[in-house]
Amino acid sequence: MIRALAPALAALLAGPAAADPAPRFLDRAAALPVPHVYSGGWHHFVGGGVAVFDCSGDGLPDLFVAGGEGPARLFVNATVAPGAPVAFRTGEGPPLTGVTGAYPLDIDGDGILDLAVLRVGPNALLRGLGGCRFEDATEAWGFAPGDAWSTAFSATWEPGQDWPTLAVGNYVDRARPDGPFFACDDNELHRPAGRRFAAPLALSPGWCALSMLISDWMRTGRRDLRISNDRHYYVRGGAEEMWRLDRLRPLTEADGWPRVSLWGMGIASRDITGNGFPDVMLTSMGDQLLMLNDGGGRLRPAPYALGAYAQRPWFGDDGRPSTGWHAEFGDIDNDGRPDLFIAKGNVDQMPSNAMADPNNLLMQQPDGTFAERADAAGVASPHRARGAALVDLNADGRLDIVVVNRRAAMEIWENATAGAGGFLAVEPRQPGPNARAVGAWVELRSAAGSQLQEVTVGGGHVSGQAGPLHFGLGAAAGAEVRVIWPDGTVSDWLRLPAGSRLELWPEGRRALRTVPLRP
């Protein structure tokens, strides 16, 4: 055990778990009906995200993928049965180009997921109609689309509001003739005015945002906006940011917020130490910075020996720094310990950084450290990866991997890990406008330890998901779960058997009602 790790990590690791199986993946890129490439020049050196959500209503996740200068595409999940090989068909997506990424959320509270689409140019809000059909609701909902280079997004429901607050992060100001250096654009906050959006508020100055995440990171019930920024273009003066939404101001060193500057590209958040507070992974050029959350508004860099910095390619003789983009925590082998996937790839032909820069699959070990397993797992792609997702595409209880590449075809990796542990897949739902319970926390306790996940919209690298939260259980036969709802109400604990795939609904003041998830 590394002494610098949080003492609560011992509690997470104390319970029994299945024997650690070697992760293994199958290449299912051919499951896509057509190859998909995120393409384009300088404006699409960044971006390249994927939105993962069930738009067809069959319980299987579908994919809306940014295309850059090419068209964005909708791939509808056509897997024939749970556990069958992953398959997709082409959907009738909206004909949009210039798309950098997208995030699913139910904006109007009708129970059908909508899409917030980021672009180089006017952004768009697409209202879901069911059956993977969409209509452009940007104007009808009063959303100011702008004409910026949008590269980051997050959303939440603020107290007393029927509609969400949307945060949009913008990159370099394309209208600045003296750019691109020292020419970062302002970011935007779109608050609701009834059942539409008011004029946006500028979050100024901007520092070239590439990722945003609204989260109750201090576990006080207050949700703040984290922004990860690219110092390559702000050069100096900028830093990573945390904005208080209730007062609309950034935290400073006087608030205890440390000043950290990096080539920020992606955000991932999850409690990996078991102390009840979400830790944060920040991707960058060079070090991938994991910040451990000790509570009380205190974040500290993880010790180097933890094995998460992933600062250089793990194969080959290219000793130049890596370039990290999308990061995501997920339990790949279902042993009860969150693992970490990082999509890697050179910006384009940047000579200071590694050219062949394979993605990382960092598996958490019993002592809490991380070990590289991308080679053994068969996901050692050297392409210029951008956005990504960890998601169970074929409802077999194992997380698969989706990777969007720049100048190379998109990848689908099906998890075929033999001997993986048990799992739970649960999705909090509630009546009313915030139907997907954004801001809720799901707590789990089992023989494999305690786990915690928050329902958020945002983070990653222009890649968002909506759907069930996945928990690995190791050898445990089941687990107890409870939900801390967005209004702070805490449910009773509910015992669930391993392998359950359920919606969790509030029943009365504290009870939980379960509804089976399809398929």
Side-chain angles (χ1 to χ4, degrees):
M1 178 80 66
I2 298 173
R3 293 181 182 176
L5 291 179
L9 183 60
L12 174 66
L13 303 170
D20 291 339
R24 178 173 174 262
F25 287 80
L26 303 175
D27 184 353
R28 296 294 193 204
L32 296 172
V34 294
H36 182 81
V37 176
Y38 181 69
S39 64
W42 179 61
H43 287 119
H44 296 290
F45 281 10
V46 300
V50 54
V52 180
F53 65 119
D54 177 15
C55 64
S56 67
D58 64 357
L60 294 171
D62 309 299
L63 310 175
F64 178 82
V65 194
E69 288 184 359
R73 284 194 172 100
L74 177 65
F75 295 116
V76 179
N77 200 319
T79 305
V80 297
V86 174
F88 288 92
R89 62 177 175 84
T90 302
E92 296 298 324
L96 290 173
T97 59
V99 174
T100 58
Y103 290 81
L105 72 164
D106 184 0
I107 293 173
D108 56 356
D110 65 355
I112 301 173
L113 287 166
D114 312 303
L115 276 177
V117 180
L118 305 183
R119 302 175 68 217
V120 180
N123 298 320
L125 298 182
L126 305 181
R127 179 173 179 256
L129 303 175
C132 289
R133 295 175 298 114
F134 299 88
E135 67 178 11
D136 190 334
T138 309
E139 183 177 354
W141 286 349
F143 180 77
D147 192 29
W149 181 355
S150 297
T151 48
F153 180 85
S154 193
T156 191
W157 269 256
E158 295 189 84
Q161 297 294 338
D162 288 343
W163 274 35
T165 293
L166 311 181
V168 176
N170 298 318
Y171 200 45
V172 174
D173 185 347
R174 298 181 297 149
R176 287 272 297 272
D178 56 341
F181 297 101
F182 303 98
C184 294
D185 209 346
D186 287 343
N187 301 316
E188 309 159 17
L189 194 69
H190 299 254
R191 280 186 158 136
R195 293 184 61 81
R196 54 188 287 118
F197 292 98
L201 302 171
L203 303 181
S204 181
W207 301 110
C208 290
L210 283 178
S211 191
M212 289 177 156
L213 182 64
I214 298 173
S215 170
D216 180 10
W217 65 289
M218 293 198 298
R219 300 299 308 277
T220 62
R222 189 189 83 205
R223 297 173 185 93
D224 299 322
L225 170 63
R226 179 169 198 133
I227 309 176
S228 193
N229 299 305
D230 184 2
R231 67 179 293 179
H232 185 74
Y233 287 118
Y234 71 67
V235 186
R236 58 179 176 268
E240 300 293 283
E241 298 174 274
M242 187 73 81
W243 284 72
R244 283 194 60 161
L245 294 179
D246 58 349
R247 299 179 183 177
L248 208 58
R249 69 168 181 87
L251 300 183
T252 66
E253 291 174 291
D255 301 303
W257 179 254
R259 189 173 181 83
V260 176
S261 295
L262 46 78
W263 293 265
M265 294 174 173
I267 301 172
S269 181
R270 184 161 173 175
D271 176 17
I272 64 169
T273 66
N275 70 349
F277 292 93
D279 308 296
V280 181
M281 168 58 78
L282 305 172
T283 57
S284 179
M285 292 196 298
D287 292 343
Q288 319 307 310
L289 182 59
L290 177 61
M291 303 291 286
L292 298 179
N293 190 341
D294 295 327
R298 295 181 300 276
L299 295 170
R300 59 184 172 88
Y304 180 82
L306 193 69
Y309 277 79
Q311 75 275 24
R312 284 183 171 80
W314 52 262
F315 77 171
D317 58 359
D318 192 335
R320 290 173 291 183
S322 280
T323 305
W325 297 91
H326 184 92
E328 190 167 337
F329 291 104
D331 194 344
I332 296 296
D333 53 2
N334 289 342
D335 63 357
R337 298 187 291 267
D339 308 305
L340 175 62
F341 178 80
I342 306 174
K344 294 277 197 70
N346 196 288
V347 173
D348 193 68
Q349 295 291 331
M350 186 171 284
S352 61
N353 285 62
M355 292 295 175
D357 196 2
N359 303 326
N360 295 107
L361 183 61
L362 299 172
M363 304 295 292
Q364 190 177 170
Q365 306 301 294
D367 64 356
T369 62
F370 288 88
E372 183 61 67
R373 293 291 182 266
D375 51 348
V379 295
S381 169
H383 299 306
R384 294 173 179 83
R386 292 296 189 265
L390 300 182
V391 58
D392 185 359
L393 293 171
N394 61 351
D396 68 351
R398 293 173 292 192
L399 292 175
D400 309 302
I401 301 175
V402 177
V403 182
V404 183
N405 292 313
R406 170 172 163 76
R407 297 207 291 157
M410 179 177 169
E411 297 165 340
I412 305 288
W413 301 98
E414 182 181 312
N415 192 336
T417 302
F423 75 98
L424 286 178
V426 294
E427 184 173 7
R429 300 289 297 272
Q430 63 180 9
N434 183 9
R436 302 280 171 158
V438 173
W441 293 86
V442 176
E443 294 184 341
L444 177 148
R445 61 189 187 190
S446 73
S450 299
Q451 299 183 56
L452 178 74
Q453 291 192 58
E454 183 183 14
V455 181
T456 59
V457 178
H461 181 67
V462 285
S463 298
Q465 294 189 43
L469 303 175
H470 178 97
F471 293 90
L473 298 182
E480 291 182 306
V481 299
R482 72 175 181 180
V483 178
I484 302 173
W485 296 101
D487 66 359
T489 301
V490 181
S491 81
D492 294 328
W493 290 97
L494 176 67
R495 180 76 181 177
L496 298 174
S500 297
R501 302 182 73 255
L502 299 166
E503 293 178 353
L504 302 177
W505 290 78
E507 184 88 332
R509 178 63 180 166
R510 295 178 59 90
L512 289 176
R513 175 172 58 92
T514 63
V515 176
L517 282 164
R518 297 181 63 187

